[in-house]
Each structure stands twice: as structure tokens, then as C-alpha cells.
Amino acid sequence: MKDIAERLKAIRERIAQAALRAGRSPKEIKLLAASKTVSVEKIRQAAAAGVQIFGENYVQEAREKIKQLKDLGLTWHLIGHLQKNKAKLAVELFDLIETVDSLSLAEELNRRARARGKIMPILVEVNIGGEKSKAGVAPQDLLKFIGEIAPLANLRVCGLMTIPPFREDPEEVRPYFRQLRELAEELKRAAIPGVEIKDLSMGMSHDFEVAIEEGATIVRLGTAIFGPRPPRT
């Protein structure tokens, strides 16, 4: 089995080729290692191979890892659904929260960030496929929602995130990625004060190349880097 460093070398080549196909610079794409259920040892191996950004789904699991890996100076994103009662800890732990999807959560994050003297960068999660099983703001409500949270002084809206419907064929996911890019372009035209849409977090292990071709700036890869996940206990 390939080790993590070998997998990462192949992934970076695929990222570069996808970017070049789209007429983009590979430097525009940030590789996030999705490390849910992944051991601290494997995270260290990925960091040694050059990964700087790691994404965790659960605040409690992340707290222990971040504590143990503090010496590496890594960047941590929250990429899982966040409950309001975990907002305080999320603000303390993470460098960016990718999954803001309600006004009440945004207000709580703003309150916690203000108490900590911190400006909290966030992405707004969009439920691009309209799936009832997934969180996220409906596309038709996005402009209104961002207008509502933009005045929150201790949050900085800097992009969008989505988890599209799963399809075996990545080409079938392309329209969802394209739609998120078009929503981002609409928001840029709206020029909402305090909002700078820089990042599109979209694309996972099986479809990241298509996501890059459609404008992703952050791709969230787990199994492609670490192999099959162990069951979460």
C-alpha cells in the first residue's frame, strides 16, 4: 500500500493537471486533509509531507488532536456541522469554520468571537442539491442570508462551501460545482460591505478534479490521502 507521502505526491500532480486544464495556476488550490477518525500519527505524517491545512468534523475530537499537534503550527478548519452549544469551543480551536448555515449560529459565533477578541473567518455552507439530509443554506436564500450576517462585526465571510449529492461519475457532479461558482460570482457583483468571497470549498476524494475545473480553491480530501477510514467509536 502506498504511504501517505506517495499518495500526496500523486494528488498534487492531479491537482496541478486539473488546474492547468482550467487555465488556472495550481497555486490557487489549497489542499485540506480531512482528518476525521485519523490518528495523530498519520496527521503528523501528512504534515511532514507538506500538508498545512487539516479539517475536522467534530469539535470534541478536534480538541484532543489540536492539543497534541500544537508544536506543528497547523491550520485547522471545521468542516462538519456545528451545533450552537459548541460555538465557544469552535471559535477557540479553529482558524476557519466552513459550515455556517443559520443566522442563530452566526450570531452565537459572533458573540463568542467578540468575547475572545477575535475576528472569526467563516464560509457559508450551501445545500446546493436541496437534500433534506444535508445542512446548508438554500441557493435561493443565499444572498439574503449573507446580507443578514455581513453586519456581524466579529465574523468575516470569505467564501462558500458545499457537499453536493454523491454520484459515482464525477462528471454528474459538475453542474453543482458550477452552480456554487455562479453563486459566488453573483455575491461578488452584489458587493455586500464586509464580504469578500475568496474561497470555494468544494470537491472531495472522488471528484476534486472536476471541482477544481469549476473553480474550487479548497479541496477536502480524506480517503485519497489516508486510505479507508476506520469506524468512528
Side-chain angles (χ1 to χ4, degrees), residues 1 19 37 57 62 81 113 126 133 197 203 211:
M1 183 182 290
T37 75
N57 289 63
H81 180 67
V126 183
S133 61
I197 303 297

Side-chain angles (χ1 to χ4, degrees), residues 39-89:
S39 69
V40 167
E41 180 186 355
K42 285 189 174 182
I43 294 173
R44 284 191 179 276
Q45 290 174 27
V51 178
Q52 172 63 31
I53 306 172
F54 290 82
E56 286 285 329
N57 289 63
Y58 305 105
V59 174
Q60 294 296 117
E61 180 183 342
R63 177 165 63 175
E64 292 307 311
K65 292 178 182 177
I66 292 171
K67 182 179 178 181
Q68 293 181 56
L69 294 161
K70 193 172 183 179
D71 59 299
L72 296 181
L74 302 173
T75 298
W76 295 91
H77 290 196
L78 180 66
I79 59 173
H81 180 67
L82 177 61
Q83 297 173 317
K84 277 173 58 180
N85 64 356
K86 300 286 175 56
K88 179 176 184 289
L89 192 53

Side-chain angles (χ1 to χ4, degrees), residues 99-115:
T99 51
V100 175
D101 64 352
S102 73
L103 179 58
S104 62
L105 175 59
E107 289 173 336
E108 181 67 9
L109 287 169
N110 184 67
R111 185 170 77 86
R112 297 298 187 176
R114 184 173 63 243

Side-chain angles (χ1 to χ4, degrees), residues 169-184:
D169 180 359
E171 281 299 325
E172 294 181 18
V173 190
R174 188 182 293 276
Y176 298 106
F177 294 143
R178 183 174 297 145
Q179 186 182 357
L180 195 75
R181 186 190 75 226
E182 290 168 350
L183 287 169

Side-chain angles (χ1 to χ4, degrees), residues 8-203:
L8 281 165
K9 183 178 179 181
I11 287 165
R12 289 191 179 102
E13 179 60 28
R14 291 169 65 188
I15 287 173
Q17 290 302 319
L20 293 170
R21 283 196 298 273
R24 303 175 64 196
S25 167
K27 293 179 181 178
E28 294 176 28
I29 309 351
K30 288 174 272 195
L31 172 59
L32 177 154
S35 49
K36 177 181 72 174
T37 75
V38 173
S39 69
V40 167
E41 180 186 355
K42 285 189 174 182
I43 294 173
R44 284 191 179 276
Q45 290 174 27
V51 178
Q52 172 63 31
I53 306 172
F54 290 82
E56 286 285 329
N57 289 63
Y58 305 105
V59 174
Q60 294 296 117
E61 180 183 342
R63 177 165 63 175
E64 292 307 311
K65 292 178 182 177
I66 292 171
K67 182 179 178 181
Q68 293 181 56
L69 294 161
K70 193 172 183 179
D71 59 299
L72 296 181
L74 302 173
T75 298
W76 295 91
H77 290 196
L78 180 66
I79 59 173
H81 180 67
L82 177 61
Q83 297 173 317
K84 277 173 58 180
N85 64 356
K86 300 286 175 56
K88 179 176 184 289
L89 192 53
V91 166
E92 292 172 6
L93 292 174
F94 291 97
D95 300 289
L96 188 146
I97 296 171
E98 295 201 12
T99 51
V100 175
D101 64 352
S102 73
L103 179 58
S104 62
L105 175 59
E107 289 173 336
E108 181 67 9
L109 287 169
N110 184 67
R111 185 170 77 86
R112 297 298 187 176
R114 184 173 63 243
R116 195 169 175 81
K118 178 178 182 178
I119 304 298
M120 187 75 233
I122 64 166
L123 305 184
V124 172
E125 182 173 2
V126 183
N127 188 344
I128 208 80
E131 297 174 279
K132 291 182 179 180
S133 61
K134 288 181 181 170
V137 178
Q140 63 270 24
D141 298 331
L142 182 62
L143 188 61
K144 176 176 179 288
F145 176 70
I146 290 188
E148 290 172 340
I149 67 172
L152 298 173
N154 287 81
L155 297 187
R156 187 172 81 243
V157 181
C158 51
L160 306 176
M161 177 266 210
T162 198
I163 305 171
F166 178 82
R167 300 287 185 267
E168 288 289 346
D169 180 359
E171 281 299 325
E172 294 181 18
V173 190
R174 188 182 293 276
Y176 298 106
F177 294 143
R178 183 174 297 145
Q179 186 182 357
L180 195 75
R181 186 190 75 226
E182 290 168 350
L183 287 169
E185 290 167 353
E186 180 184 347
L187 287 168
K188 289 176 185 177
R189 288 192 297 271
I192 300 168
V195 175
E196 185 181 2
I197 303 297
K198 298 183 295 183
D199 279 317
L200 290 182
S201 177
M202 59 186 192

